[in-house]
Amino acid sequence: MRSADRDSSARWTLREAVARLEKHYGKPAPLRATDPFAMVLWECCAYLVDDARRRRVYDRLVAATGGDPVRIAAMKPGALAELIAEDGGMRPPMRAEKLQRASNLVLDVGRTELPELCRRDPAKARRILVKFPNIGGPGADKILMVAGSVKTLAPDSNAARVLVRLGFGKDDSRYDRMYRSVVEATAPQLPDDPPWRVRAHQLLRQHGQSLCKTAAPRCGECPLAARCPSAA
Ligand code: SF4
């Protein structure tokens, strides 16, 4: 984008930025997993792979077990590792162990109680969710955002980078501090609209994965460049 086309004095509001991204990328597909335990399985079943590969592994796991923690916990570890090996990235035995640990934990909490707790008592649910493998604070926030009980965008690292570049929060070498800063900066502009927040999370993540990458963001093709303070 030519500098003459930019308005560096104004910035996008969150709603404006998300509307632009939705126009550019289209409406995101619904999340594959929305139940809290299903979201834990989604996170644990694959390691450092893209969403298309993760989806294939997750679908195979659900087809074989129904996503039932009793069945996952009862499987032979080797058979579970074999089931999730293809497309799932490194260390199938480690991923299988995490799936079984998560299954045992959800059985302790209560398979039907966990979603109810996520809706009714997000503070207590968060303390439980962070005990699941691969679910840190941001992962717990995402589960609670999808449950509709916490008003947040729960940005992943891609979405957080985009938001910082747009002026929401501060960059920091420590991810936990950057995450908190972005969450605080976006909070005042979040609408009381849970489905919008989930779509915004997805669109900002997609933007960080496709154009607003860590190195060499493609600002010339970006639908937000006109009012982005970081546009190159
Ligand atoms: S203009 Fe560049 S830095 Fe700003 S959001 Fe777009 S790609 Fe990212």
Side-chain angles (χ1 to χ4, degrees):
M1 162 162 292
R2 291 177 299 124
S3 57
D5 295 333
R6 288 196 202 117
D7 178 357
S8 57
S9 63
R11 293 182 181 182
W12 301 110
T13 66
L14 199 51
R15 266 194 178 279
E16 288 170 338
V18 170
R20 285 226 149 202
L21 291 177
E22 189 157 294
K23 194 168 173 204
H24 185 78
Y25 294 109
K27 206 168 196 162
L31 293 174
R32 191 64 159 180
T34 54
D35 163 81
F37 180 61
M39 292 177 75
V40 172
L41 294 181
W42 172 269
E43 294 298 333
C44 293
C45 70
Y47 183 59
L48 293 179
V49 298
D50 62 27
D51 284 355
R53 287 177 62 179
R54 184 177 296 274
R55 173 181 284 230
R56 288 199 286 276
V57 180
Y58 174 81
D59 286 352
R60 210 162 53 243
L61 174 67
V62 171
T65 65
D68 179 353
V70 174
R71 290 171 66 184
I72 295 171
M75 283 183 80
K76 288 205 165 71
L80 182 56
E82 197 174 321
L83 175 67
I84 59 173
E86 188 179 342
D87 284 321
M90 293 185 289
R91 302 186 190 170
M94 176 198 74
R95 290 184 275 118
E97 185 276 327
K98 287 182 176 180
L99 288 169
Q100 293 197 305
R101 190 151 33 102
S103 297
N104 284 319
L105 182 51
V106 82
L107 291 171
D108 286 346
V109 175
R111 176 68 183 89
T112 53
E113 281 76 5
L114 183 62
E116 176 58 24
L117 196 61
C118 288
R119 281 190 293 273
R120 194 172 29 81
D121 189 347
K124 185 173 178 188
R126 194 176 194 277
R127 289 195 293 276
I128 293 171
L129 288 169
V130 295
K131 295 180 184 168
F132 283 90
N134 287 19
I135 306 292
D141 289 345
K142 181 180 172 187
I143 290 171
L144 296 168
M145 171 189 70
V146 171
S149 57
V150 171
K151 204 169 168 183
T152 179
L153 287 182
D156 77 333
S157 59
N158 287 293
R161 180 176 62 256
V162 174
L163 287 163
V164 165
R165 286 175 174 169
L166 290 173
F168 294 95
K170 290 198 180 76
D171 199 3
D172 198 298
S173 55
R174 269 188 46 192
Y175 182 71
D176 59 332
R177 283 201 299 236
M178 175 174 151
Y179 176 81
R180 269 202 308 277
S181 156
V182 170
V183 166
E184 283 167 18
T186 49
Q189 293 193 30
L190 289 178
D192 202 9
D193 180 350
W196 182 92
R197 297 197 295 266
V198 175
R199 285 203 312 281
H201 168 101
Q202 292 176 279
L203 286 162
L204 288 159
R205 177 172 183 260
Q206 183 176 3
H207 191 50
Q209 287 174 325
S210 55
L211 290 181
C212 194
K213 292 172 178 259
T214 309
R218 287 153 55 190
C219 303
E221 302 164 52
C222 177
L224 303 177
R227 286 198 234 155
C228 174
S230 311

